[in-house]
Amino acid sequence: MKKFLKMSLVLIVSVVLVLSSGCTKKAANEAGSNRLEEIISRGYIEVVTEPYFAPNEFIDPSKSGSEQYVGSDIELAKYIAEKLGVELKIVPLEFTAVLSSITEGKYDLAVSALAYTPARAEAMIMSKGYYFAENAPGYGLLIRKEDTDKIRNAEDLADKTVVAQSGSLQELFVNEQIPEYKEFKRVSATTDGILMVEEKKADSCVVSIPMAQLYIDANTGSGLAIVENFEFEVDKELSGTRIGMPLGEDELAEKINEIIDEVVSSGQYEQWYEEYTEYAKKLGL
């Protein structure tokens, strides 16, 4: 009985805190303050990310709490918090929830290797690009080594099962650049799609080539390979990894773009990306 009362009390307190938080945000909005001012006033910024996309964001299992979330994007989030003079709170979510939470205004920023798409640009503010990978591979197809002679491009997937992360740029490639396929399966994380190919539950996964290569290098017995001499076409004018923000928060967007200009012009983000690529390799990701 005591345990039940204790659990009930915890639940009541949690509900009160949530309602209180909602009232505080509502009051701030009614007062006419913008999100940037709210962030500075409350003393912390909430950043959502899907921590399964090395080297941008991933988990170091040797650490705990918020310290377990590492990667080049996490360093960018830390830098943003530092420049604003506030605490950073990382909120890990599935990728589709990362997107919806920003469009609904639940959190301040989405820093999760976001690529530009027209649909996202209508649903949220997208920052300037901060990583362009101009001399690095883009997006391609992950397959089993045994199928290297059968799958050499998107046209070879007509009788195959394809998998991609739901809500991602990779899903857009499936819809727009794969002429025909037998079945298309959506997953919450690209790593799940990679495992499906490895376990023969799918024939090919649409992937970020550097991310997939990290997996192959760390799992030499996986029997996986990336299709050679094939990449999906990306509009260069819309390229670049970006930060997502709720619509209408122009002041916040302006400040974030200023910070992005700093880390891009100084080469700092590129340095973080290289650093965490090596970090991920050491963890065997």
Side-chain angles (χ1 to χ4, degrees), residues 19-51:
L19 291 175
S20 176
S21 175
C23 290
T24 300
K25 290 182 178 180
K26 183 178 180 182
N29 289 335
E30 289 176 349
S33 64
N34 59 62
R35 188 176 288 261
L36 177 59
E37 292 174 344
E38 291 172 24
I39 291 167
I40 294 171
S41 176
R42 75 171 99 106
Y44 64 86
I45 186 168
E46 291 181 304
V47 174
V48 284
T49 190
E50 185 232 12

Side-chain angles (χ1 to χ4, degrees), residues 156-194:
D156 292 334
L157 297 170
D159 61 344
K160 307 296 182 185
T161 297
V162 180
V163 61
Q165 184 182 44
S166 179
S168 68
L169 187 61
Q170 295 92 301
E171 181 181 19
L172 188 67
F173 292 146
V174 175
N175 293 328
E176 295 185 353
Q177 297 188 40
I178 297 181
E180 191 177 353
Y181 49 77
K182 178 181 177 182
E183 184 179 2
F184 176 29
K185 296 182 178 181
R186 295 168 177 82
V187 288
S188 60
T190 298
T191 47
D192 293 336
I194 291 173

Side-chain angles (χ1 to χ4, degrees), residues 3-68:
K3 183 176 180 182
F4 174 77
L5 290 173
K6 184 177 181 181
M7 291 175 65
S8 299
L9 181 59
V10 170
L11 180 59
I12 291 170
V13 171
S14 298
V15 170
V16 170
L17 287 173
V18 169
L19 291 175
S20 176
S21 175
C23 290
T24 300
K25 290 182 178 180
K26 183 178 180 182
N29 289 335
E30 289 176 349
S33 64
N34 59 62
R35 188 176 288 261
L36 177 59
E37 292 174 344
E38 291 172 24
I39 291 167
I40 294 171
S41 176
R42 75 171 99 106
Y44 64 86
I45 186 168
E46 291 181 304
V47 174
V48 284
T49 190
E50 185 232 12
Y52 302 103
F53 198 83
N56 298 74
E57 43 271 327
F58 55 101
I59 292 174
D60 183 341
S62 70
K63 299 181 179 182
S64 60
S66 61
E67 295 300 315
Q68 68 184 309

Side-chain angles (χ1 to χ4, degrees), residues 45-199:
I45 186 168
E46 291 181 304
V47 174
V48 284
T49 190
E50 185 232 12
Y52 302 103
F53 198 83
N56 298 74
E57 43 271 327
F58 55 101
I59 292 174
D60 183 341
S62 70
K63 299 181 179 182
S64 60
S66 61
E67 295 300 315
Q68 68 184 309
Y69 304 113
V70 297
S72 53
D73 279 357
I74 304 302
E75 290 299 322
L76 176 58
K78 289 179 181 178
Y79 187 80
I80 290 170
E82 180 183 335
K83 295 293 288 186
L84 296 180
V86 298
E87 177 190 354
L88 171 64
K89 292 189 177 183
I90 295 291
V91 182
L93 295 174
E94 289 188 352
F95 191 69
T96 52
V98 166
L99 300 177
S100 63
S101 69
I102 291 298
T103 60
E104 294 167 7
K106 291 181 178 179
Y107 300 106
D108 303 314
L109 304 177
V111 186
S112 195
L114 295 183
Y116 180 97
T117 70
R120 285 180 195 167
E122 290 182 3
M124 66 180 75
I125 296 175
M126 300 210 77
S127 74
K128 293 181 177 180
Y130 58 85
Y131 182 67
F132 297 90
E134 293 177 354
N135 299 315
Y139 296 87
L141 294 170
L142 180 86
I143 61 172
R144 290 182 292 277
K145 288 182 179 178
E146 63 195 55
D147 293 330
T148 52
D149 292 334
K150 302 175 184 175
I151 303 174
R152 290 163 293 186
N153 51 53
E155 285 71 24
D156 292 334
L157 297 170
D159 61 344
K160 307 296 182 185
T161 297
V162 180
V163 61
Q165 184 182 44
S166 179
S168 68
L169 187 61
Q170 295 92 301
E171 181 181 19
L172 188 67
F173 292 146
V174 175
N175 293 328
E176 295 185 353
Q177 297 188 40
I178 297 181
E180 191 177 353
Y181 49 77
K182 178 181 177 182
E183 184 179 2
F184 176 29
K185 296 182 178 181
R186 295 168 177 82
V187 288
S188 60
T190 298
T191 47
D192 293 336
I194 291 173
L195 287 173
M196 287 181 68
V197 176
E198 187 174 346
E199 296 169 359

